[in-house]
């Protein structure tokens, strides 16, 4: 049994484009970006199965180009 729920969501075209651009910049899927933004806005539930400390269960977005080497 899955602990995730699937929903259908209608978004204005401009909002969808902004979400896609942000997901691309953060190197996340659109779904992961939406979940991350919702968790950030709402906070995570206490006792949630996410990561300890109430942090969202998604990693921080990667920055820079994929082929960039550490300084």
């Amino acid at each position: 049994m899955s602990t995730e729920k699937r929903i259908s969501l209608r978004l204005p075209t401009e909002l969808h484009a902004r979400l896609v651009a942000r997901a691309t910049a953060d190197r996340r899927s659109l779904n992961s970006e939406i979940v991350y933004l919702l968790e950030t806005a709402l906070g995570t539930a206490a006792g949630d199965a996410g990561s300890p400390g109430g942090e969202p269960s998604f990693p921080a977005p990667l920055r820079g180009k994929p082929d960039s080497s550490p300084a």
Side-chain angles (χ1 to χ4, degrees):
M1 180 182 274
S2 176
T3 60
E4 298 175 345
K5 298 294 180 181
R6 186 177 291 259
I7 65 169
S8 177
L9 180 65
R10 288 183 203 75
L11 296 172
T13 303
E14 174 59 27
L15 179 57
H16 179 265
R18 290 172 53 201
L19 287 166
V20 168
R22 188 164 177 163
T24 300
D26 289 343
R27 298 180 65 190
R28 291 190 180 106
S29 69
L30 178 58
N31 185 79
S32 292
E33 186 69 21
I34 291 169
V35 170
Y36 172 78
L37 291 170
L38 287 170
E39 285 183 337
T40 300
L42 300 175
T44 55
D48 192 357
S51 63
E55 293 295 318
S57 58
F58 295 95
L62 300 174
R63 300 292 182 202
K65 297 179 182 174
D67 60 346
S68 62
S69 58

